[in-house]
Structures are given as structure tokens and as C-alpha cells.
Amino acid sequence: MKEIKNIIAEYHKIDFDKKKAALATVVKVRGSSYRSPGARMLITNDGRWIGSISGGCLEGDALRRAREVMQTGEPQVITYDTTADGDSLGIGLGCNGIIDVLIQAIREDDADNPIKRLESFVNYDNLSVIATVFRTHGTPGVAEQLWIDNNNDVHGDIRDNALRTQMSQDLLWVQENRKPEIKTYANGQLEVLFEIVEPCIDLLIFGAGFDARPVVDLAKVMGWEVTVTDECIAHIAPARFPLADQVKLCKREHVSEEIKIKPYSAAVLMSHNYEYDLQVLKRLLPTPVNYIGILGPKKRVDKMYESLEAEDFQLTPEDKHRIHSPIGLDIGAETPEEIALSIITEIQAKFTNRSGGFLKYRNAPIHHRDGKEDQVFKQVFINQVIEKKSSI
């Protein structure tokens, strides 16, 4: 979502009376690639771009192709073969993959402006799905889309009723099963990318001590939404956390009423106050928060478990799976900045279902592949607990 936010912000800076623009989107990957389907790059005709579709090897050619699209207004799908045999750019990339990139012109006043469509997803609390046509031999045309809004309603510019009905059903299936994929229609004449767009992680930090600031700063580098809360008024000063989206005074007993938990929320308890952290934990457990990290040694959280059991507060295996204490990945962290890095990387690993180990020891591809055509997709692993309703 950070990349989408950056693209939207840059789009609003463009003076379309003086410049033209295009959007490049990775729509299909077979084999290895630096980026997965859904990666985007906004390009202007003065040679500037933001976002990326590769590690830097495809952007130059995409800029040249984008200028053609800006002139004609007709979308194009460009296939880059970076395998040793293919090497479509002739520069020995060696990425060993085949990447299809959709390039479409951006018109500020166009009703089908894809940037404005992306902008509608920024404030969604939950994930959504976009279906984008990228290969066709008739109608609908390349770059036409259907998508699901925040209320699970389907919108788009697919006019064929039978096709729209079928694609709408597939949109809902992809959303429910959280499995992006490419589907074909019309006896294989039509290829459509079903892409899941996830909101950014919503980080809730309980405890506004000096060591919370590097956690805030790193989370904002990641593009996350960050709220810092404490019940000590001396700690809650916006000047202490200039990058935080919200700095909030909240008593422990009011957490349930005043702190909103979203489907993509992660909570970090780092007040250094045992009773405060315990009471906040009690109020977080009934909510759908997917990650709860507690700063401190293992014996501290064990004591919390004992206190909860003494109050007949039953912890389920799912509860203990959500709770991470000691918090963070094992990277030998000691300073506040190192600890912050450990915390942020653990949250990232949690939301992507990764262990956080060394990639050199991973006995599987870095990116998920479908096992059929060796296609790559960005996977969604958020726990199904997000579907629960909460009174918080």
C-alpha cells in the first residue's frame, strides 16, 4: 500500500497542462522476478517515475514504451523475457523470468482513470480485489476492470452481462479465499489478473517512552499507519512523535472504547509498566487484532498468563499464537533502534506468514508460485480472525 500511496501523492503533483503520464503495472510473472503482479510505476513524459516494476532493469525500457502509450492513448502489454535464452532486452539480465507489464495512459479527467480507482482503496480497512483484463482479442478491451469496494459491492467497466456476472463471482471467490490468480475466459481468448490489494498495517503502540520513537519512525518508513497511546500525559506530546499519525492519551480502562482495532491492526505493548501492559492485554485479547507484541523477558509474559488464569481468563491456543513475547526477531538487538528493527521485522513476518530466517536456507522459491505454469503471485496470509466482530 505504501507504493500505491506514493504513486497517488505524485499523481496529484502533476500539471497535466504541461505533462503526460502513464501507469505501468506488472500483470503476470512466470519464473523468477524482482516484483510480483500488482507492482506499479507511475511515469511522466519528462523521464521521471515513482514506484517500480523490477529491480531497475526494466524501468528504462518501460519509460520508452510509456511515451508511446502517452502519445496514442492505447494501452499496451509488454512482455519482458529475462531468461538466459530469452533476454528480450539483450543485456544479460539473468533474472530467469518472463514478466508481462500493462502500460496505460493517464488522463486527469478520464472516468476510467486507474489512479483515481486506486485512491479509493487507500482508506479501506480491509482487503479488496481488482480484476484487470490484460490480454484480449475483442471486448472487453485491455485495462478494463472490475473491483470490490469497502462494502463488498462490485463496480467496473465490463459491459458484457454474462462475463461481468462470471467475473464478479470470481472476484468474491478470490476475496474469500485470499488467493490472487490469473483466470481465462472466452475459451482462453481473455486473460484477467485478479489482484488482492491489502491496506497498510495499522500499528498501535501502547507506551510512549523514549524507545517507542524508533519503532514509530521505522513503521512510517514502511508506510504503516501508527498510533501512539499512553495514560501518562507527560509522555503524550505530538512533538515527541512527529511522524505518528495519531498521539493519544488513553487510560488503560478505556482502551476498549477509545482505540479502534482494524482488520490489519498490530499492537505493541512497551510501557515498561507491568500492570498497565497486563490490563491492556486483557482488553486486546477479545478483539480481532492479529499481532500482540509485549516488550520484556519471557518470565514477564509468563507471569501475565498466570494472572489471567487466576482471574479465569482463558487463553486459547490462538491467543498465544497472536502474542509475541519476548517481542521481535532474534537479530542480536540491544539499542532502541536495533530493538525497533527487530519488532518491525517480526510484525512484517507475521503478516506475510514468514519465519524471518535466512533466505539462503529457504528450501523453496522466495515468491509463491502456482505450481502449474510457474506463475508468481503475492500471497495473503492474514488470519481469518479478521472476520470476527468486536465491541472495541
Side-chain angles (χ1 to χ4, degrees):
M1 182 56 77
K2 180 184 180 181
E3 183 171 69
I4 291 176
K5 286 184 174 181
N6 289 343
I7 286 172
I8 292 168
E10 194 65 26
Y11 163 79
H12 285 295
K13 296 177 184 177
I14 299 173
D15 183 351
F16 281 91
D17 290 332
K18 300 177 180 179
K19 294 181 181 180
K20 294 182 179 181
L23 182 69
T25 305
V26 176
V27 290
K28 188 175 183 179
V29 174
R30 288 134 291 171
S32 299
S33 173
Y34 190 81
R35 300 298 308 272
S36 300
R40 290 175 169 83
M41 179 173 74
L42 177 66
I43 305 163
T44 50
N45 61 338
D46 59 357
R48 297 176 182 272
W49 71 75
I50 188 165
S52 69
I53 56 171
S54 74
C57 47
L58 305 182
E59 279 72 6
D61 187 74
L63 171 61
R64 179 177 64 84
R65 303 293 189 121
R67 283 178 170 146
E68 297 174 7
V69 171
M70 292 176 206
Q71 291 298 323
T72 65
E74 295 297 322
Q76 292 185 25
V77 176
I78 313 300
T79 298
Y80 294 102
D81 188 344
T82 67
T83 61
D85 295 333
D87 193 11
S88 59
L89 295 180
I91 54 176
L93 297 174
C95 297
N96 204 34
I98 301 174
I99 304 103
D100 289 335
V101 178
L102 167 65
I103 303 177
Q104 54 194 129
I106 302 298
R107 302 282 188 266
E108 188 177 24
D109 56 354
D110 193 342
D112 298 328
N113 186 325
I115 303 294
K116 290 183 179 179
R117 288 182 179 176
L118 287 173
E119 192 168 15
S120 67
F121 295 117
V122 169
N123 296 318
Y124 286 4
D125 289 340
N126 211 333
L127 58 80
S128 190
V129 185
I130 309 175
T132 303
V133 175
F134 67 90
R135 188 165 286 115
T136 180
H137 295 280
T139 56
V142 171
E144 292 191 15
Q145 294 180 322
L146 285 183
W147 67 93
I148 298 176
D149 68 12
N150 209 29
N151 297 315
N152 284 336
D153 294 326
V154 177
H155 304 268
D157 44 23
I158 306 297
R159 296 171 181 82
D160 182 282
N161 289 333
L163 179 61
R164 184 184 179 98
T165 298
Q166 188 175 359
M167 286 179 61
S168 297
Q169 292 171 348
D170 290 336
L171 274 172
L172 295 171
W173 185 93
V174 170
Q175 182 191 49
E176 180 181 355
N177 291 277
R178 289 162 169 74
K179 290 185 178 181
E181 61 179 299
I182 289 171
K183 289 182 174 291
T184 60
Y185 303 89
N187 296 318
Q189 299 297 300
L190 186 69
E191 275 192 282
V192 180
L193 168 65
F194 285 80
E195 171 197 357
I196 293 177
V197 180
E198 296 181 272
C200 62
I201 292 173
D202 173 51
L203 181 61
L204 308 172
I205 300 175
F206 295 87
F210 73 95
D211 54 350
R213 180 163 178 171
V215 179
V216 173
D217 294 348
L218 282 178
K220 292 308 297 180
V221 168
M222 296 292 290
W224 300 353
E225 298 292 324
V226 181
T227 297
V228 181
T229 183
D230 203 312
E231 63 179 5
C232 177
I233 195 168
H235 291 169
I236 298 300
R240 286 167 54 88
F241 303 98
L243 298 183
D245 297 282
Q246 187 176 22
V247 181
K248 187 178 182 67
L249 179 67
C250 180
K251 296 293 184 180
R252 64 188 77 177
E253 58 269 23
H254 297 151
V255 165
S256 299
E257 295 80 29
E258 297 186 14
I259 304 298
K260 180 181 179 182
I261 302 295
K262 300 178 182 178
Y264 278 70
S265 290
V268 172
L269 282 56
M270 53 186 309
S271 72
H272 302 277
N273 180 320
Y274 174 84
E275 286 299 329
Y276 174 84
D277 286 351
L278 175 62
Q279 294 305 316
V280 170
L281 176 61
K282 287 172 62 176
R283 288 160 175 80
L284 289 175
L285 285 171
T287 78
V289 64
N290 274 271
Y291 172 97
I292 303 172
I294 306 174
L295 191 68
K298 186 176 186 298
K299 62 182 181 181
R300 189 171 184 266
V301 76
D302 288 342
K303 183 180 177 182
M304 289 184 180
Y305 289 165
E306 293 173 1
S307 297
L308 292 172
E309 291 173 3
E311 297 179 34
D312 290 328
F313 199 107
Q314 299 299 319
L315 288 170
T316 67
E318 290 76 17
D319 289 332
K320 291 188 176 181
H321 182 68
R322 289 189 290 160
I323 297 171
H324 292 252
S325 187
I327 193 174
L329 295 185
D330 183 7
I331 60 171
E334 291 195 19
T335 68
E337 291 77 16
E338 292 168 350
I339 293 169
L341 177 61
S342 173
I343 292 170
I344 294 299
T345 51
E346 180 177 69
I347 295 171
Q348 172 69 16
K350 176 73 173 186
F351 277 77
T352 54
N353 197 37
R354 291 296 181 95
S355 64
F358 295 110
L359 284 174
K360 65 183 291 184
Y361 299 128
R362 181 176 171 83
N363 294 318
I366 295 174
H367 301 296
H368 176 82
R369 301 180 185 179
D370 67 356
K372 299 175 184 177
E373 301 178 24
D374 205 27
Q375 293 180 19
V376 173
F377 296 100
K378 182 179 182 297
Q379 295 300 287
V380 176
F381 292 102
I382 188 167
N383 197 301
Q384 293 292 334
V385 74
I386 66 171
E387 301 299 337
K388 295 180 180 178
K389 300 296 183 182
S390 170
S391 59
I392 194 167

